Amino acid sequence: MKVEDGCLLVSEYYADITNAAIEYIRSEHPKVLEQYSEEDIKQFVYANIIQNLNN
């Protein structure tokens, strides 16, 4: 596997996880979106992915 392929997989993984998190919040906890923007949620998800990769 090339580095570019790995980067693409990580990018797709991040997009899938982020979209799933936003959809979950939208359906199960809509009031969260009143307090936090989708961009805030994306940054939170990204930070957690990076933290888990470092552990």
Side-chain angles (χ1 to χ4, degrees):
M1 176 184 289
K2 296 179 187 175
V3 170
E4 294 85 7
D5 295 338
C7 290
L8 181 59
L9 286 174
V10 169
S11 178
E12 290 174 359
Y13 170 77
Y14 167 69
D16 290 346
I17 295 294
T18 301
N19 291 335
I22 290 171
E23 287 304 313
Y24 172 77
I25 291 168
R26 189 176 285 130
S27 67
E28 299 295 324
H29 305 284
K31 292 192 180 220
V32 170
L33 290 174
E34 294 173 10
Q35 298 175 350
Y36 301 99
S37 70
E38 286 189 15
E39 188 60 34
D40 291 336
I41 295 167
K42 288 177 183 180
Q43 290 177 6
F44 177 79
V45 169
Y46 178 74
N48 277 284
I49 290 171
I50 297 301
Q51 182 178 14
N52 285 326
L53 288 174
N54 288 329
N55 290 333

